[in-house]
């Protein structure tokens, strides 16, 4: 709310320096690619963000009874994947289809949930497979986040950026607890493993519907 009240110098906007939040909303809705990516980012916050707070503890601590050390290593694997992805982007920047990395998030959730459901007889095997999947999750989530933020900064005019990013942050922060509530309710109904796979499947299906008519599907914008 404070950010929406910031005044910009005349050099940034020749026409006017004060824009309401509704102007930012209208700008997003009029730009089809921007709107598509905005919605996709909200989907990640709603369906993927509960992994750390709901799905991972449910699978690793409740279903498999792994120790705190083994549970903590999964977060380390995610961080390592993110670091490697950041280095890869920095050292070898190239234009890639960001839609692939969105889909990979859903695919990793589906595979993780199916493995968690089917490998109870071999918990050691499941853990090492899940650890690798956590690393890949960190890798591909960074492949989404960094180019996405760069794209927003490039496409959104300077006089709208503060309001746009404040709106983006507000929306993401609202989606995360709502997704956590939804994930917790789903886990109570069908179990953490199936709920995780189900969230991944839902993500893939909604992304397919979202991207099917978008130029993002065929063009490497990043």
């Amino acid at each position: 709310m404070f950010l929406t009240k910031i005044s910009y110098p005349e050099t940034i906007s020749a026409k006017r320096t004060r824009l309401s939040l509704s102007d930012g909303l209208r700008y997003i809705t009029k730009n089809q690619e921007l709107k598509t990516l905005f919605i996709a980012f909200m989907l990640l916050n709603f369906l993927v963000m509960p992994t750390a707070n709901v799905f991972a503890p449910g699978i690793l601590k409740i279903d498999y009874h792994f120790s705190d050390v083994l549970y903590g290593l999964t977060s380390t694997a995610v961080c390592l994947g993110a670091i490697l992805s950041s280095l890869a982007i920095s050292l070898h920047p190239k234009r890639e289809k960001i839609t692939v990395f969105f889909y990979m998030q859903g695919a990793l959730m589906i595979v993780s949930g199916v493995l968690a459901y089917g490998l109870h007889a071999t918990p050691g095997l499941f853990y090492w497979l899940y650890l690798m999947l956590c690393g890949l999750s960190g890798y591909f989530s960074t492949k989404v986040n960094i180019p996405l933020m760069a794209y927003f900064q490039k496409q959104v005019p300077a006089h709208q950026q503060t309001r746009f990013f404040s709106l983006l942050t507000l929306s993401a922060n609202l989606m995360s607890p709502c997704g956590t509530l939804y994930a917790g309710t789903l886990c109570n109904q069908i179990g953490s493993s199936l709920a995780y796979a189900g969230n991944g499947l839902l993500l893939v299906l909604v992304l397919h519907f979202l991207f099917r008519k978008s130029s993002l599907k065929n063009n490497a914008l990043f």
Side-chain angles (χ1 to χ4, degrees):
M1 292 174 62
F2 282 116
L3 291 173
T4 62
K5 302 301 180 182
I6 291 178
S7 298
Y8 291 94
E10 197 67 29
T11 54
I12 292 180
S13 178
K15 295 182 178 180
R16 55 178 176 166
T17 59
R18 294 184 178 275
L19 295 173
S20 66
L21 190 59
S22 61
D23 289 328
L25 285 170
R26 283 194 293 271
Y27 178 77
I28 294 172
T29 56
K30 290 179 180 178
N31 188 318
Q32 185 60 42
E33 291 180 354
L34 197 65
K35 181 175 69 174
T36 299
L37 288 173
F38 188 95
I39 295 172
F41 187 67
M42 293 308 108
L43 278 173
L44 291 185
N45 280 272
F46 184 81
L47 295 174
V48 181
M49 285 298 289
T51 297
N53 297 326
V54 179
F55 295 121
I59 293 171
L60 298 175
K61 298 292 293 181
I62 297 176
D63 293 349
Y64 279 84
H65 307 290
F66 287 131
S67 68
D68 291 340
V69 174
L70 294 179
Y71 173 66
L73 282 176
T74 59
S75 296
T76 304
V78 174
C79 292
L80 288 175
I83 291 172
L84 290 175
S85 182
S86 299
L87 288 173
I89 293 172
S90 300
L91 297 176
H92 302 286
K94 57 182 179 178
R95 293 171 61 84
E96 296 175 309
K97 294 180 181 178
I98 197 172
T99 54
V100 174
F101 303 124
F102 273 106
Y103 284 123
M104 284 303 301
Q105 290 293 308
L108 289 171
M109 293 172 68
I110 295 171
V111 173
S112 298
V114 171
L115 291 177
Y117 184 78
L119 294 180
H120 276 280
T122 54
L125 175 62
F126 164 72
Y127 179 78
W128 289 109
L129 290 174
Y130 184 73
L131 201 63
M132 289 187 289
L133 291 171
C134 285
L136 290 173
S137 178
Y139 183 89
F140 288 115
S141 64
T142 304
K143 279 281 193 176
V144 168
N145 291 331
I146 292 179
L148 192 60
M149 292 304 109
Y151 176 78
F152 286 151
Q153 291 174 6
K154 180 180 178 182
Q155 295 297 320
V156 178
H159 64 275
Q160 297 241 24
Q161 281 192 9
T162 304
R163 290 170 179 82
F164 172 82
F165 283 107
S166 64
L167 179 62
L168 182 73
T169 303
L170 173 64
S171 302
N173 287 338
L174 288 174
M175 287 295 101
S176 183
C178 291
T180 299
L181 177 62
Y182 165 75
T185 303
L186 193 62
C187 286
N188 282 336
Q189 297 295 322
I190 62 177
S192 300
S193 302
L194 292 180
Y196 196 38
N199 252 29
L201 180 61
L202 180 61
L203 177 61
V204 170
L205 292 176
V206 177
L207 286 175
H208 174 70
F209 176 79
L210 191 63
F211 289 142
R212 63 177 181 173
K213 294 183 179 180
S214 172
S215 61
L216 295 167
K217 184 176 181 180
N218 301 314
N219 298 330
L221 300 180
F222 304 93

